[in-house]
Structures are given as structure tokens and as C-alpha cells.
Coordinates of all heavy atoms in Angstrom, one line a residue:
V1 N -12.0 -0.9 22.2 CA -13.0 -1.8 21.4 C -13.1 -1.3 20.1 O -13.6 -0.2 20.0 CB -14.4 -2.1 22.2 CG1 -15.2 -2.8 21.4 CG2 -14.1 -2.6 23.6
P2 N -12.9 -2.1 19.0 CA -13.1 -1.7 17.7 C -14.7 -1.5 17.4 O -15.5 -2.2 18.0 CB -12.6 -2.8 16.7 CG -12.6 -3.9 17.6 CD -12.4 -3.5 19.1
K3 N -14.9 -0.5 16.5 CA -16.2 -0.2 16.2 C -16.9 -1.4 15.3 O -18.1 -1.6 15.4 CB -16.3 1.2 15.4 CG -17.7 1.6 14.9 CD -17.7 3.0 14.4 CE -19.1 3.4 14.0 NZ -19.1 4.8 13.4
Y4 N -16.0 -2.0 14.5 CA -16.5 -3.0 13.5 C -15.8 -4.3 13.8 O -14.6 -4.3 14.3 CB -16.2 -2.7 12.1 CG -16.7 -1.4 11.8 CD1 -15.9 -0.1 11.7 CD2 -18.2 -1.3 11.4 CE1 -16.6 1.0 11.2 CE2 -18.7 0.0 11.1 CZ -18.0 1.2 11.0 OH -18.5 2.2 10.7
A5 N -16.4 -5.5 13.7 CA -15.9 -6.8 14.1 C -15.4 -7.6 12.8 O -15.9 -7.2 11.7 CB -17.0 -7.6 14.6
V6 N -14.6 -8.5 13.0 CA -14.1 -9.4 12.0 C -15.3 -10.1 11.4 O -16.1 -10.5 12.2 CB -13.0 -10.3 12.5 CG1 -12.7 -11.4 11.5 CG2 -11.7 -9.5 12.9
N7 N -15.3 -10.2 10.2 CA -16.4 -10.8 9.3 C -17.7 -10.0 9.2 O -18.7 -10.4 8.7 CB -16.8 -12.1 9.9 CG -15.7 -13.2 9.7 OD1 -14.9 -13.1 8.7 ND2 -15.5 -14.1 10.8
Q8 N -17.6 -8.7 9.8 CA -18.7 -7.8 9.7 C -18.8 -7.2 8.3 O -17.8 -6.9 7.7 CB -18.8 -6.7 10.7 CG -19.8 -5.8 10.7 CD -19.8 -4.8 11.7 OE1 -19.1 -4.9 12.7 NE2 -20.8 -3.8 11.7
R9 N -20.0 -7.2 7.7 CA -20.1 -6.6 6.3 C -20.3 -5.1 6.5 O -20.9 -4.7 7.5 CB -21.5 -7.1 5.8 CG -21.5 -7.0 4.2 CD -22.6 -7.7 3.7 NE -22.3 -9.0 3.2 CZ -22.8 -9.7 2.3 NH1 -23.9 -9.2 1.7 NH2 -22.3 -10.9 1.9
V10 N -19.6 -4.3 5.7 CA -19.5 -2.9 5.8 C -19.5 -2.3 4.3 O -19.5 -3.1 3.4 CB -18.4 -2.4 6.5 CG1 -18.4 -2.7 8.2 CG2 -17.0 -2.8 5.9
F11 N -19.4 -1.0 4.2 CA -19.3 -0.4 2.9 C -17.9 0.4 3.1 O -17.6 1.0 4.1 CB -20.3 0.6 2.5 CG -21.4 -0.1 2.0 CD1 -22.6 -0.4 2.8 CD2 -21.5 -0.5 0.7 CE1 -23.7 -1.0 2.3 CE2 -22.6 -1.1 0.2 CZ -23.8 -1.5 1.0
C12 N -17.1 0.3 2.0 CA -15.7 1.0 2.0 C -15.6 1.6 0.6 O -15.9 1.1 -0.4 CB -14.7 -0.1 2.3 SG -13.2 0.5 2.4
P13 N -15.0 2.8 0.6 CA -14.7 3.4 -0.6 C -13.5 2.9 -1.4 O -12.6 2.5 -0.7 CB -14.5 4.9 -0.3 CG -14.0 4.7 1.1 CD -14.6 3.6 1.8
E14 N -13.6 2.9 -2.6 CA -12.4 2.6 -3.5 C -12.6 3.5 -4.6 O -13.5 3.6 -5.5 CB -12.3 1.2 -3.9 CG -11.2 1.0 -5.1 CD -9.9 1.2 -4.4 OE1 -9.6 1.0 -3.2 OE2 -9.1 1.6 -5.1
G15 N -11.6 4.6 -4.7 CA -11.9 5.6 -5.6 C -13.1 6.6 -5.1 O -13.1 6.8 -4.0
A16 N -13.9 6.9 -6.1 CA -15.1 7.7 -5.6 C -16.3 6.9 -5.5 O -17.4 7.4 -5.3 CB -15.4 8.6 -6.9
E17 N -16.2 5.6 -5.4 CA -17.4 4.7 -5.3 C -17.3 3.9 -3.9 O -16.3 3.7 -3.3 CB -17.3 3.7 -6.4 CG -17.3 4.2 -7.8 CD -18.7 4.9 -8.3 OE1 -19.7 4.5 -7.7 OE2 -18.5 5.8 -9.0
L18 N -18.6 3.6 -3.5 CA -18.7 2.8 -2.2 C -18.9 1.3 -2.8 O -19.6 1.1 -3.6 CB -19.8 3.2 -1.4 CG -19.6 4.4 -0.5 CD1 -20.9 4.5 0.2 CD2 -18.4 4.1 0.5
Y19 N -18.3 0.4 -2.0 CA -18.5 -1.1 -2.4 C -18.8 -1.8 -1.1 O -18.2 -1.6 -0.1 CB -17.2 -1.7 -3.0 CG -17.0 -0.9 -4.5 CD1 -16.1 0.1 -4.5 CD2 -17.7 -1.3 -5.5 CE1 -15.9 0.8 -5.8 CE2 -17.4 -0.8 -6.7 CZ -16.5 0.3 -6.8 OH -16.1 0.8 -8.0
E20 N -19.5 -2.9 -1.2 CA -19.8 -3.9 -0.1 C -18.4 -4.4 0.1 O -17.8 -5.0 -0.7 CB -20.8 -5.0 -0.5 CG -22.2 -4.5 -0.3 CD -23.3 -5.5 -0.5 OE1 -23.3 -6.6 0.4 OE2 -24.0 -5.5 -1.5
S21 N -18.2 -4.6 1.4 CA -16.8 -5.2 1.9 C -17.1 -6.0 3.1 O -18.2 -5.8 3.7 CB -15.9 -4.2 2.1 OG -15.8 -3.2 1.1
V22 N -16.1 -6.7 3.6 CA -16.2 -7.5 4.9 C -14.8 -7.1 5.6 O -13.7 -7.2 4.9 CB -16.5 -8.9 4.5 CG1 -15.4 -9.7 3.8 CG2 -16.8 -9.7 5.9
I23 N -15.0 -7.0 6.7 CA -13.6 -6.9 7.7 C -13.1 -8.3 7.9 O -13.7 -9.3 8.2 CB -14.1 -6.3 9.1 CG1 -15.0 -5.0 9.0 CG2 -12.9 -6.2 9.9 CD1 -14.2 -3.9 8.4
R24 N -11.7 -8.2 7.5 CA -11.0 -9.4 7.7 C -10.0 -9.4 8.9 O -9.8 -10.5 9.6 CB -10.1 -9.7 6.4 CG -10.9 -10.0 5.2 CD -11.6 -11.4 5.3 NE -12.3 -11.8 4.1 CZ -13.4 -12.4 4.0 NH1 -14.0 -12.7 5.3 NH2 -14.0 -12.7 3.0
K25 N -9.4 -8.3 9.2 CA -8.7 -8.2 10.3 C -8.9 -6.7 11.0 O -9.4 -5.8 10.3 CB -7.2 -8.2 10.0 CG -6.8 -9.5 9.4 CD -5.3 -9.4 8.9 CE -5.0 -10.7 8.1 NZ -3.5 -10.6 7.6
T26 N -8.5 -6.6 12.3 CA -8.5 -5.3 12.9 C -7.1 -5.0 13.5 O -6.3 -5.9 13.8 CB -9.5 -5.2 14.1 OG1 -9.2 -6.3 15.0 CG2 -11.0 -5.4 13.6
S27 N -6.8 -3.7 13.6 CA -5.5 -3.4 14.3 C -5.6 -2.0 15.0 O -6.1 -1.0 14.5 CB -4.4 -3.2 13.1 OG -3.2 -2.7 13.6
L28 N -5.0 -2.0 16.0 CA -5.0 -0.7 16.9 C -3.6 -0.3 17.0 O -2.7 -0.9 17.5 CB -5.5 -1.0 18.4 CG -5.6 0.2 19.3 CD1 -6.5 1.2 18.8 CD2 -6.1 -0.2 20.7
K29 N -3.3 0.9 16.4 CA -2.0 1.5 16.4 C -2.2 3.0 16.9 O -2.9 3.6 16.2 CB -1.3 1.4 15.1 CG -1.0 0.1 14.7 CD -0.2 0.0 13.3 CE 0.1 -1.5 13.1 NZ 0.5 -1.6 11.7
E30 N -1.4 3.4 17.8 CA -1.5 4.7 18.3 C -2.8 5.3 18.6 O -3.3 6.3 18.2 CB -0.8 5.6 17.2 CG 0.7 5.4 17.0 CD 1.3 6.1 16.0 OE1 0.7 7.2 15.4 OE2 2.5 5.9 15.5
R31 N -3.5 4.3 19.2 CA -4.9 4.5 19.7 C -5.8 4.8 18.5 O -7.0 5.4 18.8 CB -5.0 5.7 20.7 CG -4.1 5.4 21.9 CD -3.9 6.5 22.9 NE -5.2 7.3 23.1 CZ -5.4 8.3 24.0 NH1 -4.3 8.8 24.5 NH2 -6.5 8.8 24.2
K32 N -5.7 4.3 17.4 CA -6.5 4.5 16.3 C -6.7 3.0 15.6 O -5.7 2.3 15.3 CB -6.0 5.4 15.3 CG -6.0 6.8 15.7 CD -5.4 7.8 14.6 CE -5.5 9.2 15.0 NZ -5.3 10.2 14.1
W33 N -7.9 2.7 15.3 CA -8.3 1.5 14.7 C -8.3 1.4 13.3 O -8.7 2.5 12.6 CB -9.7 1.0 15.1 CG -9.9 0.5 16.5 CD1 -10.3 1.3 17.6 CD2 -9.5 -0.7 17.0 NE1 -10.3 0.5 18.7 CE2 -9.7 -0.6 18.4 CE3 -8.9 -1.9 16.4 CZ2 -9.5 -1.8 19.2 CZ3 -8.7 -3.0 17.2 CH2 -9.0 -2.9 18.7
S34 N -7.7 0.4 12.6 CA -7.7 0.2 11.2 C -8.2 -1.2 11.0 O -8.2 -2.0 11.8 CB -6.2 0.3 10.8 OG -5.6 1.5 10.8
Y35 N -8.8 -1.3 9.6 CA -9.4 -2.5 9.3 C -8.9 -3.1 8.0 O -8.7 -2.2 7.1 CB -10.9 -2.3 9.1 CG -11.5 -1.8 10.5 CD1 -11.6 -0.5 10.9 CD2 -12.0 -2.8 11.5 CE1 -12.0 -0.1 12.1 CE2 -12.5 -2.2 12.6 CZ -12.5 -0.9 12.9 OH -13.0 -0.5 14.2
F36 N -8.5 -4.3 7.9 CA -8.2 -4.9 6.6 C -9.4 -5.4 6.0 O -10.2 -6.3 6.6 CB -7.2 -6.1 6.9 CG -6.5 -6.6 5.7 CD1 -5.6 -5.8 4.9 CD2 -6.8 -7.9 5.1 CE1 -5.0 -6.2 3.8 CE2 -6.2 -8.3 4.0 CZ -5.3 -7.5 3.4
V37 N -9.9 -4.8 4.9 CA -11.1 -5.1 4.2 C -11.0 -5.9 3.0 O -10.0 -5.7 2.1 CB -12.0 -3.8 3.9 CG1 -12.4 -3.1 5.3 CG2 -11.3 -2.9 2.9
H38 N -12.0 -6.7 2.7 CA -12.0 -7.5 1.4 C -13.3 -6.9 0.7 O -14.4 -7.0 1.3 CB -12.2 -8.9 1.6 CG -12.4 -9.7 0.4 ND1 -11.6 -9.7 -0.6 CD2 -13.6 -10.4 0.0 CE1 -12.1 -10.4 -1.7 NE2 -13.3 -10.7 -1.3
F39 N -13.1 -6.5 -0.5 CA -14.2 -6.0 -1.4 C -15.0 -7.2 -2.0 O -14.3 -8.0 -2.7 CB -13.7 -5.1 -2.5 CG -13.1 -3.7 -2.0 CD1 -11.8 -3.7 -1.7 CD2 -13.8 -2.7 -1.7 CE1 -11.1 -2.5 -1.3 CE2 -13.2 -1.6 -1.2 CZ -12.0 -1.5 -1.0
L40 N -16.2 -7.4 -1.6 CA -17.0 -8.6 -2.0 C -17.0 -8.6 -3.6 O -17.3 -7.6 -4.3 CB -18.4 -8.5 -1.5 CG -18.4 -8.6 0.0 CD1 -19.8 -8.6 0.5 CD2 -17.7 -9.9 0.6
G41 N -16.6 -9.9 -4.1 CA -16.7 -10.0 -5.5 C -15.4 -9.7 -6.2 O -15.1 -9.9 -7.4
W42 N -14.5 -9.2 -5.5 CA -13.1 -8.7 -6.0 C -12.0 -9.6 -5.8 O -12.1 -10.4 -4.8 CB -12.8 -7.2 -5.5 CG -13.6 -6.1 -5.8 CD1 -14.9 -6.1 -6.1 CD2 -13.2 -4.8 -6.0 NE1 -15.4 -4.9 -6.4 CE2 -14.3 -4.1 -6.3 CE3 -11.9 -4.2 -6.0 CZ2 -14.2 -2.6 -6.6 CZ3 -11.8 -2.8 -6.0 CH2 -13.1 -2.1 -6.5
N43 N -11.0 -9.6 -6.6 CA -9.8 -10.4 -6.2 C -9.1 -10.0 -4.9 O -9.3 -8.7 -4.6 CB -8.8 -10.2 -7.4 CG -7.7 -11.2 -7.3 OD1 -6.8 -11.2 -6.3 ND2 -7.5 -12.1 -8.2
V44 N -8.6 -10.9 -4.1 CA -8.0 -10.5 -2.9 C -6.8 -9.6 -3.0 O -6.5 -8.8 -2.0 CB -7.4 -11.7 -2.1 CG1 -8.7 -12.7 -1.7 CG2 -6.5 -12.6 -2.9
R45 N -6.3 -9.4 -4.3 CA -5.2 -8.5 -4.4 C -5.6 -7.0 -4.1 O -5.0 -6.0 -3.9 CB -4.7 -8.4 -5.9 CG -3.9 -9.7 -6.1 CD -3.4 -9.8 -7.5 NE -4.6 -9.9 -8.4 CZ -4.7 -9.8 -9.8 NH1 -3.6 -9.6 -10.5 NH2 -5.7 -9.9 -10.5
W46 N -7.0 -6.8 -4.2 CA -7.6 -5.4 -3.9 C -7.8 -5.2 -2.3 O -8.0 -4.0 -1.9 CB -8.9 -5.2 -4.5 CG -8.7 -5.0 -6.1 CD1 -8.7 -6.0 -6.9 CD2 -8.4 -3.8 -6.7 NE1 -8.5 -5.4 -8.2 CE2 -8.3 -4.0 -8.0 CE3 -8.3 -2.5 -6.2 CZ2 -8.1 -3.2 -9.0 CZ3 -8.0 -1.5 -7.2 CH2 -7.8 -1.8 -8.6
D47 N -7.6 -6.4 -1.5 CA -7.8 -6.1 -0.1 C -6.8 -5.1 0.4 O -5.7 -4.9 0.0 CB -7.6 -7.5 0.6 CG -8.6 -8.5 0.4 OD1 -9.5 -8.2 -0.5 OD2 -8.5 -9.6 0.7
K48 N -7.3 -4.4 1.5 CA -6.4 -3.3 1.9 C -6.7 -2.8 3.3 O -7.9 -3.0 3.9 CB -6.4 -2.0 1.0 CG -7.7 -1.3 0.9 CD -7.6 -0.1 0.0 CE -9.0 0.7 0.0 NZ -8.7 1.9 -0.8
W49 N -5.8 -2.2 3.9 CA -6.0 -1.6 5.3 C -6.7 -0.2 5.2 O -6.2 0.5 4.3 CB -4.8 -1.5 6.1 CG -4.3 -2.7 6.6 CD1 -3.3 -3.5 6.1 CD2 -4.5 -3.4 7.7 NE1 -3.0 -4.6 6.8 CE2 -3.8 -4.6 7.9 CE3 -5.5 -3.0 8.7 CZ2 -4.0 -5.6 8.9 CZ3 -5.6 -4.0 9.8 CH2 -4.9 -5.1 9.9
V50 N -7.7 0.1 5.9 CA -8.3 1.4 5.9 C -8.6 1.9 7.3 O -8.8 1.1 8.2 CB -9.5 1.3 5.0 CG1 -9.3 1.1 3.6 CG2 -10.7 0.4 5.6
P51 N -8.6 3.2 7.4 CA -8.9 3.8 8.8 C -10.4 3.6 9.1 O -11.2 3.5 8.2 CB -8.5 5.2 8.7 CG -8.5 5.5 7.3 CD -8.2 4.2 6.5
E52 N -10.8 3.6 10.3 CA -12.0 3.4 10.8 C -12.9 4.5 10.1 O -14.1 4.3 9.8 CB -12.2 3.6 12.3 CG -13.6 3.2 12.8 CD -13.5 3.1 14.4 OE1 -13.5 4.2 14.9 OE2 -13.4 2.0 14.8
S53 N -12.4 5.8 10.0 CA -13.2 6.9 9.5 C -13.5 6.6 8.0 O -14.5 7.3 7.4 CB -12.3 8.1 9.5 OG -11.2 8.0 8.8
S54 N -13.0 5.7 7.2 CA -13.2 5.4 5.9 C -14.4 4.4 5.7 O -14.9 4.3 4.7 CB -12.1 5.0 5.1 OG -11.1 6.0 4.9
I55 N -14.8 3.7 6.8 CA -15.7 2.7 6.7 C -17.1 3.2 7.1 O -17.3 4.0 8.0 CB -15.3 1.5 7.6 CG1 -14.0 0.9 7.2 CG2 -16.5 0.4 7.8 CD1 -13.4 -0.2 8.0
L56 N -18.1 2.7 6.3 CA -19.6 3.0 6.6 C -20.2 1.7 7.0 O -20.1 0.6 6.4 CB -20.2 3.6 5.4 CG -19.7 5.0 4.9 CD1 -20.2 5.3 3.5 CD2 -19.9 6.1 6.0
E57 N -21.1 1.8 8.1 CA -21.9 0.8 8.5 C -22.8 0.2 7.4 O -23.3 1.0 6.5 CB -22.8 1.3 9.7 CG -23.5 0.1 10.4 CD -24.0 0.6 11.7 OE1 -23.6 1.6 12.3 OE2 -25.1 0.0 11.9
Y58 N -23.0 -1.0 7.3 CA -23.9 -1.7 6.4 C -25.3 -1.5 6.8 O -25.7 -1.8 8.0 CB -23.5 -3.2 6.3 CG -24.3 -3.9 5.2 CD1 -23.7 -4.1 3.9 CD2 -25.7 -4.4 5.5 CE1 -24.4 -4.8 2.9 CE2 -26.3 -5.0 4.4 CZ -25.7 -5.2 3.2 OH -26.5 -5.9 2.2
T59 N -26.1 -1.0 5.9 CA -27.5 -0.8 6.2 C -28.3 -1.2 4.9 O -27.6 -1.1 3.8 CB -27.9 0.6 6.6 OG1 -27.7 1.6 5.4 CG2 -27.2 1.1 7.8
E60 N -29.5 -1.6 5.0 CA -30.2 -2.0 3.7 C -30.4 -0.7 2.9 O -30.3 -0.6 1.7 CB -31.6 -2.5 4.2 CG -32.4 -3.0 3.0 CD -31.7 -4.2 2.2 OE1 -30.9 -4.8 2.9 OE2 -31.9 -4.3 1.1
E61 N -30.6 0.4 3.5 CA -30.8 1.8 2.7 C -29.5 2.0 1.9 O -29.7 2.5 0.8 CB -31.2 2.8 3.7 CG -32.5 2.8 4.4 CD -32.5 1.9 5.5 OE1 -31.4 1.6 6.0 OE2 -33.6 1.4 6.0
R62 N -28.4 1.9 2.6 CA -27.1 2.2 1.9 C -26.9 1.2 0.8 O -26.5 1.5 -0.3 CB -26.1 2.2 2.9 CG -24.7 2.7 2.3 CD -23.7 3.0 3.4 NE -23.9 4.3 4.1 CZ -24.0 4.5 5.3 NH1 -23.7 3.5 6.2 NH2 -24.3 5.6 5.9
R63 N -27.2 -0.1 1.1 CA -27.1 -1.1 0.0 C -28.0 -0.9 -1.2 O -27.4 -0.9 -2.4 CB -27.5 -2.5 0.6 CG -27.1 -3.7 -0.6 CD -27.9 -5.0 -0.2 NE -29.3 -4.8 -0.2 CZ -29.9 -4.6 -1.4 NH1 -29.4 -4.7 -2.6 NH2 -31.3 -4.6 -1.3
E64 N -29.2 -0.4 -1.0 CA -30.1 -0.1 -2.0 C -29.5 1.2 -2.9 O -29.6 1.2 -4.0 CB -31.4 0.2 -1.5 CG -32.1 -1.0 -1.1 CD -33.5 -0.7 -0.4 OE1 -33.9 0.5 -0.3 OE2 -34.1 -1.8 0.1
A65 N -29.0 2.2 -2.1 CA -28.4 3.3 -2.8 C -27.3 3.0 -3.7 O -27.1 3.4 -4.8 CB -28.1 4.4 -1.8
V66 N -26.4 2.2 -3.2 CA -25.2 1.7 -3.9 C -25.6 0.9 -5.1 O -25.1 0.9 -6.2 CB -24.2 0.9 -3.0 CG1 -23.2 0.2 -3.9 CG2 -23.6 1.9 -2.0
A67 N -26.5 0.0 -5.0 CA -27.1 -0.8 -6.1 C -27.7 0.1 -7.2 O -27.5 -0.1 -8.4 CB -28.1 -1.8 -5.5
K68 N -28.4 1.1 -6.8 CA -29.0 2.0 -7.7 C -27.9 2.9 -8.4 O -27.9 3.0 -9.6 CB -29.9 3.0 -7.0 CG -30.7 4.0 -7.8 CD -31.5 5.0 -7.0 CE -32.9 4.5 -6.9 NZ -33.7 5.7 -6.2
Q69 N -26.8 3.3 -7.6 CA -25.7 3.8 -8.4 C -25.1 3.0 -9.3 O -24.6 3.4 -10.4 CB -24.7 4.3 -7.2 CG -23.4 5.0 -7.6 CD -22.6 5.3 -6.5 OE1 -22.5 4.5 -5.5 NE2 -21.9 6.4 -6.4
E70 N -24.8 1.7 -9.0 CA -24.2 0.8 -9.8 C -25.0 0.6 -11.1 O -24.4 0.6 -12.2 CB -23.9 -0.5 -9.1 CG -22.7 -0.5 -8.1 CD -22.6 -1.8 -7.4 OE1 -23.3 -2.8 -7.7 OE2 -21.9 -1.9 -6.4
K71 N -26.4 0.4 -10.9 CA -27.2 0.3 -12.1 C -27.1 1.5 -13.1 O -27.0 1.3 -14.3 CB -28.6 0.1 -11.6 CG -29.6 -0.2 -12.7 CD -31.1 -0.4 -12.2 CE -32.0 -0.6 -13.5 NZ -33.3 -0.6 -13.1
A72 N -27.1 2.7 -12.5 CA -27.0 3.8 -13.3 C -25.7 4.0 -14.1 O -25.6 4.4 -15.3 CB -27.3 5.2 -12.4
K73 N -24.7 3.5 -13.4 CA -23.2 3.5 -14.0 C -23.3 2.6 -15.2 O -22.7 2.8 -16.3 CB -22.2 3.2 -12.9 CG -20.8 3.4 -13.4 CD -19.8 3.3 -12.3 CE -19.9 2.0 -11.6 NZ -18.8 1.8 -10.7
K74 N -23.9 1.3 -15.0 CA -23.9 0.3 -16.0 C -24.7 0.9 -17.3 O -24.3 0.6 -18.4 CB -24.4 -1.0 -15.5 CG -23.4 -1.7 -14.8 CD -24.0 -2.9 -14.1 CE -23.1 -3.7 -13.2 NZ -23.7 -5.0 -12.7
E75 N -25.8 1.5 -17.0 CA -26.7 1.9 -18.1 C -25.9 3.1 -18.8 O -26.0 3.2 -20.0 CB -28.0 2.6 -17.5 CG -29.0 1.4 -17.0 CD -30.1 2.0 -16.3 OE1 -30.2 3.2 -15.9 OE2 -31.0 1.1 -15.9
E76 N -25.2 4.0 -18.1 CA -24.5 5.1 -18.9 C -23.4 4.5 -19.6 O -23.1 4.8 -20.8 CB -23.8 5.9 -17.8 CG -23.0 7.1 -18.4 CD -23.8 8.0 -19.3 OE1 -25.0 8.1 -19.3 OE2 -23.1 8.9 -20.0
L77 N -22.8 3.5 -19.3 CA -21.7 2.7 -20.0 C -22.1 2.1 -21.2 O -21.6 2.2 -22.4 CB -21.0 1.7 -19.1 CG -19.8 1.0 -19.6 CD1 -18.6 2.1 -20.1 CD2 -19.2 0.0 -18.7
Q78 N -23.3 1.5 -21.1 CA -24.0 0.9 -22.2 C -24.4 1.9 -23.2 O -24.3 1.7 -24.4 CB -25.3 0.1 -21.7 CG -25.8 -0.7 -22.9 CD -27.0 -1.4 -22.3 OE1 -27.6 -1.4 -21.2 NE2 -27.7 -2.3 -23.3
R79 N -24.9 3.0 -22.9 CA -25.4 4.0 -23.7 C -24.1 4.5 -24.5 O -24.1 4.8 -25.7 CB -25.9 5.2 -22.9 CG -26.4 6.4 -23.8 CD -27.0 7.5 -22.9 NE -26.0 8.2 -22.2 CZ -25.0 9.1 -22.8 NH1 -25.1 9.4 -24.1 NH2 -24.2 9.6 -22.1
L80 N -22.9 4.9 -23.8 CA -21.7 5.3 -24.4 C -21.3 4.3 -25.4 O -20.8 4.7 -26.5 CB -20.7 5.6 -23.3 CG -20.9 6.8 -22.4 CD1 -19.9 6.9 -21.3 CD2 -21.0 8.1 -23.1
R81 N -21.4 3.1 -25.1 CA -20.9 1.9 -26.1 C -21.8 2.0 -27.4 O -21.3 1.9 -28.4 CB -20.8 0.6 -25.5 CG -19.7 0.4 -24.6 CD -19.8 -1.0 -23.9 NE -18.7 -1.2 -22.9 CZ -18.7 -1.9 -22.0 NH1 -19.9 -2.6 -21.6 NH2 -17.6 -2.0 -21.1
Q82 N -23.0 2.1 -27.1 CA -24.0 2.1 -28.3 C -23.6 3.4 -29.2 O -23.6 3.2 -30.4 CB -25.4 2.3 -27.9 CG -26.0 1.0 -27.3 CD -27.3 1.1 -26.7 OE1 -27.8 2.1 -26.3 NE2 -28.0 -0.2 -26.5
E83 N -23.4 4.5 -28.6 CA -23.1 5.8 -29.4 C -21.7 5.6 -30.1 O -21.6 5.9 -31.3 CB -22.9 7.0 -28.4 CG -24.2 7.6 -27.9 CD -24.0 8.6 -26.9 OE1 -23.0 9.2 -26.7 OE2 -25.0 9.1 -26.3
A84 N -20.7 4.9 -29.5 CA -19.4 4.7 -30.1 C -19.7 3.8 -31.4 O -19.1 3.9 -32.3 CB -18.5 4.1 -29.2
N85 N -20.6 2.6 -31.2 CA -20.8 1.8 -32.2 C -21.5 2.4 -33.3 O -21.3 2.1 -34.6 CB -21.6 0.6 -31.7 CG -20.8 -0.4 -30.8 OD1 -19.6 -0.3 -31.0 ND2 -21.5 -1.2 -30.0
E86 N -22.4 3.3 -33.1 CA -23.2 4.0 -34.1 C -22.2 5.0 -34.9 O -22.3 5.0 -36.1 CB -24.3 4.9 -33.4 CG -25.5 4.0 -33.0 CD -26.5 4.9 -32.3 OE1 -26.5 6.1 -32.2 OE2 -27.3 4.2 -31.5
R87 N -21.3 5.6 -34.2 CA -20.3 6.5 -34.9 C -19.4 5.6 -35.8 O -19.2 6.1 -36.9 CB -19.5 7.2 -33.9 CG -20.2 8.4 -33.2 CD -19.3 9.4 -32.6 NE -18.6 8.7 -31.4 CZ -19.0 8.6 -30.2 NH1 -20.2 9.1 -30.0 NH2 -18.3 8.0 -29.2
K88 N -19.1 4.4 -35.3 CA -18.3 3.5 -36.2 C -19.0 3.1 -37.4 O -18.4 3.1 -38.6 CB -17.8 2.3 -35.4 CG -16.7 2.6 -34.4 CD -16.4 1.2 -33.6 CE -15.5 1.4 -32.6 NZ -15.2 0.2 -31.9
R89 N -20.3 2.9 -37.3 CA -21.1 2.4 -38.4 C -21.3 3.5 -39.5 O -21.3 3.3 -40.7 CB -22.6 1.8 -38.1 CG -22.5 0.5 -37.4 CD -23.9 0.0 -37.2 NE -23.9 -0.6 -35.9 CZ -24.6 -0.3 -34.9 NH1 -25.5 0.7 -35.0 NH2 -24.5 -0.9 -33.7
K90 N -21.4 4.7 -39.1 CA -21.5 5.9 -39.9 C -20.3 6.1 -40.7 O -20.4 6.7 -41.8 CB -21.9 7.2 -39.0 CG -23.4 7.0 -38.6 CD -23.8 8.3 -37.8 CE -25.2 8.2 -37.3 NZ -25.6 9.4 -36.4
K91 N -19.0 5.9 -40.1 CA -17.9 6.1 -40.8 C -17.6 5.1 -41.9 O -16.9 5.3 -42.8 CB -16.8 6.1 -39.8 CG -16.6 7.3 -38.9 CD -15.3 7.0 -38.0 CE -15.3 8.3 -37.2 NZ -14.1 8.2 -36.2
R92 N -18.3 4.0 -41.9 CA -18.1 3.0 -42.9 C -18.7 3.3 -44.2 O -19.5 3.9 -44.5 CB -18.6 1.6 -42.4 CG -17.7 1.1 -41.3 CD -18.3 -0.2 -40.9 NE -17.8 -0.7 -39.7 CZ -18.1 -1.7 -38.9 NH1 -19.1 -2.5 -39.3 NH2 -17.5 -2.0 -37.8

């Protein structure tokens, strides 16, 4: 029996970040479960098969932590853009 069900919301890593995802398919090969996940808000070209060990259960606490991480990342990107714009203005 797979740990996660089709259409179940989970968290899945892509690179060094965790993203909200949904299970689209399951597969059992050599006694190991794999899941075809869709990253919510992403183009389907990013959908991929991942092993069960890469998936994290969806919890409100994890969702809040990921949202906080995303907010901090956006704020840092905005700060870096502002610094770059200031450097450009000083060069003129």
C-alpha cells in the first residue's frame, strides 16, 4: 500500500527548496514506491517521478515554514535588485 494517495497534497523538493505538490500517479517497482508529482503553480513540464523518501507529508506547520522561507527569499531578491539599481545610478 503506498504511503501517499493520488491527488494528495504533499511537499516535494526541487533543488534546495521545498514546494507544495500533488501526487498524480503512483508506481511500485522492485518493492519501492515512486510518485509522479505536480508542483502547484508550475508548468506541467516540471512534473516528475520521485521516490517516496523524497516526499514530505503536507502539514499546516510545514506550509507556514515554506511560506516564510519563500517570503524571505523574495525580500532578499528585492534588496539585491535595489542595491544593483543604486550602483547603476551612482555610475551615471
Side-chain angles (χ1 to χ4, degrees):
V1 177
K3 183 175 181 179
Y4 303 103
V6 171
N7 294 325
Q8 183 175 348
R9 201 172 263 205
V10 294
F11 282 96
C12 187
E14 177 57 35
E17 306 287 330
L18 280 180
Y19 295 96
E20 275 189 67
S21 307
V22 64
I23 304 292
R24 293 291 185 219
K25 300 176 189 176
T26 62
S27 175
L28 180 63
K29 291 182 183 171
E30 298 176 12
R31 298 173 49 178
K32 292 187 180 186
W33 286 100
S34 294
Y35 301 86
F36 193 69
V37 298
H38 170 70
F39 296 95
L40 296 179
W42 292 35
N43 188 297
V44 295
R45 290 179 294 176
W46 288 93
D47 293 2
K48 66 179 184 176
W49 285 99
V50 295
E52 188 171 83
S53 60
S54 293
I55 296 176
L56 296 171
E57 191 171 329
Y58 185 96
T59 64
E60 189 60 27
E61 294 81 14
R62 191 167 280 133
R63 188 200 61 77
E64 289 173 4
V66 168
K68 188 184 259 186
Q69 179 183 34
E70 288 176 7
K71 182 181 178 189
K73 191 168 60 173
K74 286 179 184 177
E75 289 171 351
E76 177 66 9
L77 184 58
Q78 183 178 7
R79 184 187 66 76
L80 291 171
R81 285 182 179 147
Q82 287 174 341
E83 287 178 4
N85 288 337
E86 288 173 16
R87 284 193 297 274
K88 284 180 184 177
R89 277 188 230 125
K90 287 180 182 178
K91 286 183 178 180
R92 292 181 192 172

